[in-house]
Each structure stands twice: as structure tokens, then as C-alpha cells.
Amino acid sequence: MMFNRVWLKQPLRAIALALLLSHSAAFSAPVAASVNTGSMEINTDADWWKHGTVYFVLTDRFVNGDKSNDAAYGRQKDGAPLRYFMGGDFAGLTKKIREGYFNALGVTALWVTPPVEQIHGYTDEGTGKSYGFHGYWARDFTTTDRALGSEEAFREMVDAAHEKGIRVLLDVVMNHVGPVTTQDSAWPQEWVRDEPVCSYRDIPTTVSCALVKGLPDIRTEMLTNVALPPFLLKKWQEEGRLQQQMQSLDAFFQRYQFARAPRYYLMSWHADWVRRFGIDGFRADTVKHVEPELWAELKRVASDAYAEWKKNNPQKVRFGTPFYMVGEAYGYGIQQRKLFQMDGGSKLALFDAGFDALINFSFRSDISKDAEVQFSEYQQFLSKDLQGVSVLNYLASHDDEHSFDRQRKFPLMAAERLLLSPGAAQIYYGDESGRNMDDPEAIGDAKLRSPMNWDDLTQKTRIAGIPAPQILKHWQLLGQFRQRHPAIGAGVHQQISSLPYVFSRRLSTINTKDAVVIALDVNAGQRIFVGDVFPAAQRLKDFYSKQLLPVKDGYLTVLSASRAVLLEGVNE
């Protein structure tokens, strides 16, 4: 979202109150988690989210694939630096999907910012004139913002991703709507509150309040009927969609017997994106600001919608796996295990509220630890306290001003630590190419949202002394290796040696046997012991250099110096 986070709204029902709480196996080939049905290949890796790679992209900042929508709703490029729409759209994403850009990074899921229609005007948060280019200032949750493209363009993007074996995760907002502007009227008071502004002293003063002045907070605690906002009814009527929207809502409320309260209208609208387009999962925004039982309800209706889409579109189904939901509970770290620490010392069992994973905010500081300390610690947490769920690690994001290495001094090391860490990995657009995240003219989080640096790649700009294409290649090799081997994110970690740093990851389940050995910062001529992991191997493949290396008495010798040696078995 656009503003600083605080806490979850105070739970009002008993279910919410109940949530508050004071092998090894050698392997000789990459894992193929799919089945061929004759007409298509369906991915059946139910645990993909434990080891997958998610690419998070601000659609408006990536690629301008259709210049005809650049001035949608009469918006101007007159905002403060990096605070206006800059032209990126669904067509641009589709172009890069079809070119194989994301496949080359080993990406298994594409997380896109909310595609819904944003406020048409601008506001000033105290950082200059700002537009809703980021997607978190919704005006109409039921349709796309025309600056990003039509609904058909959105469908084309989702279908293209699926055809490439990439899931699509939708960023959903249940906590707030867009600010009032000269062009955008206020939502009814029974829908939102504008005051008091949160003072963050305790739970009540961080819950039933607006996060900051000017950001309308949705009354998600309400469980009684409210009428639809008149401006939406008028808008849908003018667009010829009123009957369609009312029929969709009527069907939803008849099926679930929910009250026509704000939270349930939003659930219906979000689930419709799944039902209509085949969205594979949600990234839930501002999780701790919303009642936990709401997220469980949302997961239920989204899962139903996913099953319905699959039933109605059998020719498009590419993933035989359940609907996925990852939560953004600001401040959650893997060290908290399953209990998220709130203000005042209370703890919340968010994993019991429908989440498969939570974003791991501690990763960008944990990276300062010794690699072995961090890797082994993470694997222990995931295999014991977090068994059955996972975390999504990240280096940088759109609103974390404490993102790791904003000056891009360590682009290669950053890739190694993120993509080789236990858990799932989130690449923020431009991590892989050294995109600038410290524009001197921008203020605050706008610095983190610069346009994708395609020119650096074509012009071979040096970043930290390294040509940008070389940085990208490093990320691609690590990302592809990670995708080939679920053991990297979900397996058992074991150190083999400290100098050079060599470790193994092994995964053995009913359907999967996978093993790798990885060495970092290796000199030419150094020997690596692999006998425990590959006891019968006569040679192994270094995926990084593409060399086949002979094994003798359980050891192999590295032929040339390398930042990474990525060893996997060879099909004989």
C-alpha cells in the first residue's frame, strides 16, 4: 500500500479473539512436477509455494506496450517526481511474458499490483501531487484501470503467463479505498471512516481509525447490510454494466448468505477476478489492519471461484493445485514463527486465517548475517515451527525504505542470498538488473518505484562495476537452478565445508527426491566433497558453467574460479 502500516483492526467476534495468543536422497535429474494429459501439461506441484520464485512488478513501471492508453481519464504527467502514471501496462507485461523474460529468471508466479480502476484525480500526501499509479487507491474494484489496459488485455496477460507455466497472483486490498479528490467523490460514511487518525498507542488506537489523514478506512468490522455507493451505481449504469454487476452480487450473497456489508461486497468483487480470469492466488495487502476471520472467509470464496473457473475453462487449466494466499503483515519475521507479534505484546496466529505464507520482513536484515547462520536457521524454522506453511523472502519492495542494498552495491551477492535461501523468494522488479532505487529528485517511497531500467541492459551500463547484462545473467542462472530443484527452497540444508563455502540441500517426499550441492566463491583447482549427497556419481553437472565434472572418491575438482558452482546429477 502507499502509507505506513500500523496494526490489525481489533477483532470483534469470538473467532478473531480465539486467534490471539499471549534423509537424504541422491538424485540424478531435475524434478518434473507435472503430468501430460495429451493436450496440455498440468503442473501438480502442490508445494510450489514453499520453494517457488515470485516476481513482483508494478505494472505501470515495467513496459509500455500500448501508448494509446497513456492519458486515460484525462490524467496528466504533472505529479511530483515518480508519482504519476508512466505508461506501463498489461500489454507490456504480456510482451515480456511471451519473450520468455520471466522463464529465463526461473519465475513460477507473477505478482501484479492491483489492476482495478483507480481514483481519476490526484492528492497530496505531503510529498507532492500523487496519482494512483501503484494500484492501492481503488475507485471501482470491478474493472481494470484503463491506463493499464482493457479487461481483454488483462485476460490476455493472464493467459500468456499460464501458457508459460507461470501463475498470476493478484494484489488485493481489503483495508482502504482511494482518497477523495476534485474528480473523485467520497464513499458513504457507512462504508468508510476518515477519522480519528490512528495514534498507534495500543490496539484500539491502531484499529478503528484511518491509517493516515485522507485515506478512507473500510469499515470491515460491520456485519449489517449497507447500500451500494450511489456513485458506483451511476457509473455502472452509464457503462452499461449495472444489471451484470447486480446479478453477480445477488448470486454471491445468495450462495454464501453473508450480510451485504462492505467486507462482503469486496470479497465478491475480488473473487470475481478469480472466477473470470483464472487468478491463481492473492497477495493480501495490510493484513494486520483487518479482522483475521475475514481473510479465512476470503480464502474460502476465492478457492470456490478458482474451482469454478477451472470447471468452466478446462482447456486453460495449467495448475492442478489449490488457490494460494500470501499475506503482508508489516513487521512479520520468520523468527516469530507462527505467532505474529502485535503492538502491546499480543500475538496473532495469522497462519490459521487462511494464509499459506507470510512475507518475511526480517530477510532484508538477516542477509547481514553469515550465510551459513542464516541458511541453517531458516531451514530449522521452516522444517519445525513452520511446517506446513512458508515465508516469502525479499530484498526490496515498493514501500520498504529499509530495502536491502538500495544503492545496488552488491547485486551478485544479493541474488545468491535471496535465490539460495530456504523458503520462497520474491524478486522485486529490477533487483535482477540493478534498477536505481534512490532517485535524488523523488521523495519517500517513490524512490523505490522508478521505471524498469531496460536501457541499462541494452547499453551495458556498469552497476557496482559490473555490466547490467552480466548481473542479469547471474540472476537467471541462479533462478533457473532454483526452479529446477525444489530442494533449494524446501529441502534439508547441511554445510559441507566453510572454505570454500559448500552446502547441500536435499528433499525427499512421497513424490519428490531431489538433491544439489552448491559452492560459493570458489577458486580454480579447489576440491569439493560430494560423496554423501551423490555417493554413486561418476560425474556431475555444474549448471552455472554448464561443465560436466568428473567425480573421484567422492570429490570433484572445480576447473575455473566462479562465484557459484551449482551441482546437479546427470542423466546417464
Side-chain angles (χ1 to χ4, degrees):
M1 65 168 288
M2 194 68 177
F3 296 92
N4 292 331
R5 310 311 200 287
V6 284
W7 286 128
L8 150 89
K9 292 191 173 81
Q10 188 173 10
L12 299 177
R13 295 201 286 175
I15 187 172
L17 293 173
L19 286 169
L20 289 170
L21 303 173
S22 315
H23 51 231
S24 298
F27 185 72
S28 61
V31 172
S34 60
V35 294
N36 196 312
T37 64
S39 59
M40 72 188 79
E41 191 174 78
I42 298 179
N43 187 294
T44 59
D45 182 8
D47 292 333
W48 71 270
W49 48 273
K50 294 181 181 179
H51 54 76
T53 302
V54 177
Y55 192 97
F56 172 30
V57 59
L58 265 69
T59 305
D60 176 69
R61 299 299 155 94
F62 203 57
V63 176
N64 190 341
D66 181 3
K67 295 184 182 297
S68 70
N69 58 33
D70 288 0
Y73 312 105
R75 297 187 186 116
Q76 303 297 312
K77 297 184 183 296
D78 58 352
L82 297 182
R83 291 189 176 276
Y84 52 87
F85 282 82
M86 303 185 76
D89 49 31
F90 306 136
L93 276 175
T94 302
K95 179 176 182 290
K96 285 299 177 181
I97 290 169
R98 288 176 173 162
E99 288 176 356
Y101 182 80
F102 301 108
N103 292 113
L105 278 167
V107 168
T108 52
L110 183 63
W111 156 17
V112 296
T113 42
V116 303
E117 185 175 336
Q118 299 294 287
I119 57 172
H120 296 181
Y122 59 83
T123 188
D124 190 341
E125 312 167 86
T127 51
K129 185 184 294 187
S130 299
Y131 291 87
F133 67 89
H134 41 73
Y136 299 98
W137 288 349
R139 184 62 174 171
D140 184 350
F141 289 93
T142 70
T143 191
T144 58
D145 192 284
R146 292 204 302 266
L148 304 181
S150 66
E151 291 185 7
E152 191 51 44
F154 181 77
R155 187 186 310 279
E156 186 177 358
M157 183 270 290
V158 175
D159 288 349
H162 287 171
E163 289 165 8
K164 289 287 190 178
I166 299 170
R167 294 168 171 83
V168 177
L169 310 181
L170 204 63
D171 206 324
V172 296
V173 181
M174 295 289 294
N175 170 253
H176 61 275
V177 295
V180 176
T181 76
T182 56
Q183 297 181 48
D184 304 281
S185 60
W187 287 67
Q189 283 301 302
E190 60 265 30
W191 273 77
V192 300
R193 74 182 115 243
D194 299 303
E195 56 183 23
V197 173
C198 299
S199 58
Y200 316 133
R201 297 189 307 273
D202 50 26
I203 289 178
T205 59
T206 62
V207 169
S208 300
C209 50
L211 300 186
V212 296
K213 183 178 180 181
L215 187 68
D217 177 68
I218 299 172
R219 297 182 185 273
T220 51
E221 77 281 1
M222 287 187 58
L223 297 174
T224 55
N225 294 340
V226 300
L228 284 161
F231 79 82
L232 275 182
L233 294 173
K234 180 182 178 182
K235 178 179 184 293
W236 294 342
Q237 180 70 51
E238 292 173 348
E239 295 172 351
R241 297 193 295 125
L242 180 59
Q243 183 177 4
Q244 171 193 340
Q245 291 302 322
M246 297 307 294
Q247 288 176 345
S248 178
L249 287 169
D250 288 345
F252 176 83
F253 287 112
Q254 182 176 2
R255 177 174 184 176
Y256 292 103
Q257 295 297 301
F258 291 141
R260 294 190 180 232
R263 66 196 270 170
Y264 296 121
Y265 281 113
L266 263 70
M267 281 187 205
S268 174
W269 294 333
H270 289 321
D272 273 347
W273 289 88
V274 180
R275 183 176 296 103
R276 295 170 60 204
F277 301 99
I279 298 301
D280 304 287
F282 286 159
R283 177 269 187 185
D285 186 63
T286 56
V287 162
K288 63 188 177 186
H289 301 299
V290 179
E291 294 75 19
E293 75 274 14
L294 178 154
W295 297 116
E297 292 168 337
L298 178 64
K299 178 72 171 295
R300 172 192 168 196
V301 301
S303 296
D304 289 345
Y306 196 43
E308 185 177 335
W309 177 83
K310 287 182 175 181
K311 179 180 178 181
N312 294 336
N313 298 273
Q315 75 284 1
K316 288 187 175 183
V317 174
R318 294 292 183 272
F319 308 109
T321 46
F323 191 81
Y324 164 78
M325 199 159 75
V326 58
E328 181 239 17
Y330 190 81
Y332 171 80
I334 192 172
Q335 292 81 6
Q336 296 178 34
R337 300 161 171 93
K338 283 193 175 181
L339 298 180
F340 171 61
Q341 179 103 13
M342 293 181 64
D343 280 336
S346 297
K347 295 181 180 181
L348 188 68
L350 287 178
F351 285 105
D352 293 340
F355 291 104
D356 300 293
L358 293 178
I359 294 174
N360 178 22
F361 285 83
S362 67
F363 183 83
R364 81 278 209 250
S365 56
D366 288 341
I367 198 171
S368 64
K369 299 177 181 177
D370 175 79
E372 174 57 26
V373 170
Q374 185 240 319
F375 288 167
S376 59
E377 177 185 69
Y378 274 37
Q379 193 267 315
Q380 287 296 310
F381 287 141
L382 289 165
S383 64
K384 294 182 180 179
D385 302 271
L386 290 170
Q387 189 173 17
V389 294
S390 191
V391 295
L392 183 59
N393 302 317
Y394 78 97
L395 299 164
S397 80
H398 59 320
D399 55 9
D400 187 349
E401 296 188 41
H402 300 290
S403 293
F404 175 77
D405 192 25
R406 287 181 57 181
Q407 284 70 43
R408 305 298 194 187
K409 295 180 180 178
F410 313 105
L412 303 184
M413 182 273 281
E416 293 152 10
R417 291 295 289 272
L418 176 67
L419 298 177
L420 299 179
S421 281
Q426 172 226 295
I427 300 172
Y428 182 44
Y429 78 104
D431 281 348
E432 75 278 18
S433 55
R435 177 179 61 86
N436 178 32
M437 291 199 301
D438 197 20
D439 189 307
E441 296 184 0
I443 298 174
D445 52 19
K447 290 176 176 286
L448 304 169
R449 305 169 179 185
S450 59
M452 180 63 179
N453 59 326
W454 300 113
D455 287 346
D456 287 341
L457 292 170
T458 57
Q459 297 170 11
K460 300 181 180 180
T461 304
R462 287 185 173 271
I463 298 166
I466 307 166
Q470 186 175 327
I471 295 172
L472 176 60
K473 185 65 176 178
H474 186 66
W475 279 78
Q476 288 173 335
L477 289 169
L478 291 169
Q480 290 172 33
F481 192 67
R482 179 186 180 87
Q483 183 181 17
R484 289 165 66 88
H485 296 287
I488 294 174
V492 175
H493 171 86
Q494 183 174 1
Q495 180 176 342
I496 295 175
S497 69
S498 57
L499 286 175
Y501 180 44
V502 184
F503 59 91
S504 66
R505 296 279 169 79
R506 288 182 272 199
L507 179 65
S508 181
T509 66
I510 294 175
N511 300 316
T512 303
K513 291 188 183 296
D514 184 30
V516 297
V517 172
I518 298 170
L520 300 177
D521 293 321
V522 181
N523 295 323
Q526 285 190 312
R527 300 176 75 217
I528 296 175
F529 180 68
V530 297
D532 283 351
V533 183
F534 300 101
Q538 295 183 343
R539 60 177 182 167
L540 295 175
K541 179 181 178 181
D542 173 15
F543 186 80
Y544 197 86
S545 68
K546 301 299 187 287
Q547 295 174 331
L548 291 176
L549 303 175
V551 178
K552 184 177 182 180
D553 298 328
Y555 286 86
L556 60 74
T557 301
V558 176
L559 302 180
S560 56
S562 180
R563 283 198 64 94
V565 176
L566 311 176
L567 298 171
E568 63 183 13
V570 179
N571 284 322
E572 299 295 345

